[in-house]
Amino acid sequence: MIVRTLQELIGTERDVHDATWNSRRLLLKADGMGFSLHDTLIHAGTQTRMCYRNHLEAVYCIEGQGEIEALATGQRHAIVPGTVYALDRHDDHVLYAHSALRLVCVFNPPLTGLETHGSDGAYPPDPDPDPDPELAPREVRR
Ligand code: 9YT
């Protein structure tokens, strides 16, 4: 079993900053869960374009007010506490933070650790992917 707290990650290498956000990476690939789990803060008044071509991401808002725009269609959706969005098509999108947003983010395949966005709005692919992410958890210990 893994037990850790957000507090103990702050200021460590699992606390990753970019221009518009701060991602506290609670679970990463090395934790062997098959996904990564992040507590992410998006800074108030910012907009962030992203397109995770190498990952699927689900995002659950727990604080703040914002909007997401799907660039393929121009459709915009409000983001408020209790809203989840899932980028099931590697959707090219912009996230607008009308106030500071606090988001719980899950990535599949999991991030390895220090990824930040490339100029294409994506994280790079894992250079050493598991053969089958669904079937490759770490060794089971009882
Ligand atoms: C919502 C979103 O994707 N923000 C960028 C940071 C990313 N979620 C992360 O690495 O936590």
Side-chain angles (χ1 to χ4, degrees), residues 16 18 20-25 36-42 48 50 52 57-59 85 87 93 95 101 103-107 111 113 115-117 123:
V16 178
D18 207 340
T20 59
W21 52 263
N22 178 12
S23 173
R24 289 82 62 89
R25 296 181 170 164
S36 58
L37 177 69
H38 318 168
D39 182 321
T40 298
L41 303 173
I42 311 286
T48 309
M50 294 167 274
Y52 291 123
E57 186 193 23
V59 177
Y85 64 86
L87 302 166
H93 64 288
L95 182 62
L101 291 170
L103 306 170
V104 177
C105 306
V106 177
F107 277 78
L111 298 196
E115 290 93 339
T116 56
H117 294 147
Y123 291 144

Side-chain angles (χ1 to χ4, degrees), residues 69-75 91-93:
E69 179 179 3
L71 292 177
T73 61
Q75 200 171 5
D91 312 67
D92 194 2
H93 64 288

Side-chain angles (χ1 to χ4, degrees), residues 8 10-11 15 22-23 32 41 43 52 57 77 89 95 98 109 113 122 132 134 139 142:
E8 71 195 58
I10 291 174
D15 183 2
N22 178 12
S23 173
L41 303 173
H43 306 320
Y52 291 123
E57 186 193 23
H77 304 271
R89 309 269 169 136
L95 182 62
H98 300 321
D132 181 340
E134 288 183 16
E139 180 186 342
R142 297 186 190 281

